[in-house]
Amino acid sequence: MPELPEAETIVRGLRPAVVGRRIRRIEVLHEDILRERKSAFADKVRGALIVGVERRAKNVLLRLEGARVVAVSLGMTGRLLPLPSVAAVADRPGHPAVRFRFESGGSLVFDDTRRFGKVECLSDGEWAERSDRMGPEPLARAYTAACLHAGLVRSRAPVRSWLLDQRRIAGVGNIYANEALYLAGVHPRRPARGLTADEAAWLHRSIRRVLRDAIRAGGTTIRDYRTAEGGRGEYGRRLLVYGRMGEPCARCRDVVRRLVFGNRSAFYCPTCQPAAEGARAPASGPLGRPRAARG
DNA sequence: AGTGTATCCTGCAGGC
DNA sequence: TGCCTGCAGGATACAC
């Protein structure tokens, strides 16, 4: 569910609402959301001041005084809702799992229908170790097309599976993987190491473009995702292939197909994203295919 | 080692 | 109306 753009949107919305607040009390309504006993979790978090809110991959981080961090993995249906808020009146948490009550009044609720999410409190050092095992941030300046290509050539996995592997690239989920592959003209099932340097450069550009545009739109709300303000992400209307099986391709009017592998749906246009290795790249269409890197 | 699959959980849409 | 099946933005434990 929430991928990098959704997590980033939540972080930006949360920051003004929770930074500078002190946590007075923790209520754990569903202990399976934690990775430890709720008493242990509460002991570490109670009384702490929130000094910052950050994102890493799809995770939302509450930085606490005393070199600790609350790391929230949103799973498929996780939401972080500061209460009370105007939005909360219309969109109350339906499945609250963990509530942080502030000394100054109000609270932050982690709400998660399916309870695939995780909330944990780590030392900065423990978190750094975890973060080191994740792949690079695709929007980082240092993450070049050459970095992507170097990663791709080491794997025989289908490129869509490669993009979903958080150890290889951090923050890309099924929606944006499919969209980026479409923009790059790369079939989702092609072996990662079969992509040419030019294709890797198109894909690099497409990934960054899709993620940036989605952040600008506040993410994609299919059903459950909400911003910290309780609003919906508006990128859904701009999805070109995800969830559009049977509809015409925006570029060539062929029919968008759906494939299932790795237990996930893949959506693609068979004309714009040919399955054969080394197939011709489609001509630049109305959507503006990313140009190949120079050099 | 590197892939693919099943599983956790709830809710909803569609078929009958 | 209601029951059944399949599907969902993620991550991980396992089998091969």
Side-chain angles (χ1 to χ4, degrees):
Chain A
M1 67 83 314
E3 308 182 26
L4 185 156
E6 289 76 28
E8 180 64 30
T9 302
I10 288 168
V11 162
R12 293 179 185 183
L14 224 44
R15 204 169 272 147
V18 306
V19 171
R21 305 263 193 172
R22 190 174 293 278
I23 298 165
R24 179 172 61 87
R25 194 164 117 75
I26 306 291
E27 291 165 29
V28 178
L29 295 88
H30 286 286
E31 198 162 3
D32 54 358
I33 288 291
L34 304 177
R35 293 190 209 268
E36 60 191 327
R37 301 290 299 273
K38 64 178 166 186
S39 56
F41 175 77
D43 286 347
K44 285 189 276 183
V45 176
R46 195 184 304 115
L49 182 73
I50 300 175
V51 296
V53 182
E54 296 167 19
R55 178 190 63 76
R56 167 72 169 123
K58 303 169 186 175
N59 301 280
V60 175
L61 310 177
L62 306 178
R63 293 281 182 187
L64 306 182
E65 62 179 347
R68 282 168 298 163
V69 57
V70 171
V72 179
S73 164
L74 297 156
M76 293 278 250
T77 53
R79 309 173 181 183
L80 279 166
L81 302 171
L83 302 175
S85 72
V86 176
V89 176
D91 192 35
R92 290 175 181 288
H95 299 269
V98 180
R99 184 188 308 271
F100 303 82
R101 288 202 183 275
F102 300 130
E103 275 187 356
S104 51
S107 61
L108 175 65
V109 174
F110 178 67
D111 186 89
D112 188 1
T113 305
R114 290 174 73 182
R115 302 206 303 283
F116 287 175
K118 288 289 172 210
V119 175
E120 54 193 321
C121 182
L122 304 171
S123 69
D124 282 2
E126 288 168 329
W127 171 254
E129 251 176 66
R130 176 88 59 88
S131 180
D132 285 347
R133 290 199 294 271
M134 299 176 191
E137 288 286 330
L139 294 181
R141 189 177 289 270
Y143 191 70
T144 63
C147 296
L148 173 62
H149 192 226
L152 290 169
V153 297
R154 287 163 37 206
S155 172
R156 289 175 308 203
V159 60
R160 200 282 310 261
S161 302
W162 191 96
L163 290 170
L164 296 188
D165 187 337
Q166 300 299 298
R167 294 166 303 183
R168 291 165 156 148
I169 184 170
V172 179
N174 203 32
I175 291 180
Y176 301 114
N178 278 285
E179 294 297 298
L181 287 166
Y182 171 75
L183 287 182
V186 174
H187 190 286
R189 204 155 201 173
R190 285 192 38 206
R193 70 179 182 189
L195 269 66
T196 65
D198 274 352
E199 287 173 323
W202 290 327
L203 183 56
H204 174 261
R205 202 179 240 260
S206 300
I207 290 166
R208 289 165 56 116
R209 174 175 159 189
V210 164
L211 295 177
R212 285 207 183 97
D213 285 354
I215 290 171
R216 242 174 256 131
T220 301
T221 295
I222 304 240
R223 176 176 303 162
D224 303 285
Y225 160 71
R226 291 291 118 94
T227 69
E229 295 85 2
R232 303 168 62 87
E234 298 300 328
Y235 195 75
R237 69 182 81 235
R238 297 174 51 189
L239 296 174
L240 298 169
V241 287
Y242 184 87
R244 295 198 180 277
M245 177 177 50
E247 297 180 33
C249 166
R251 187 189 287 150
C252 78
R253 300 282 143 191
D254 196 350
V255 176
V256 174
R257 311 293 165 87
R258 173 174 170 263
L259 264 181
V260 179
F261 61 94
N263 265 355
R264 317 294 294 274
S265 291
F267 299 90
Y268 69 104
C269 167
T271 298
C272 297
Q273 298 165 266
E277 287 184 38
R280 169 196 70 85
S284 180
L287 303 165
R289 178 196 178 90
R291 286 168 307 163
R294 285 169 230 289

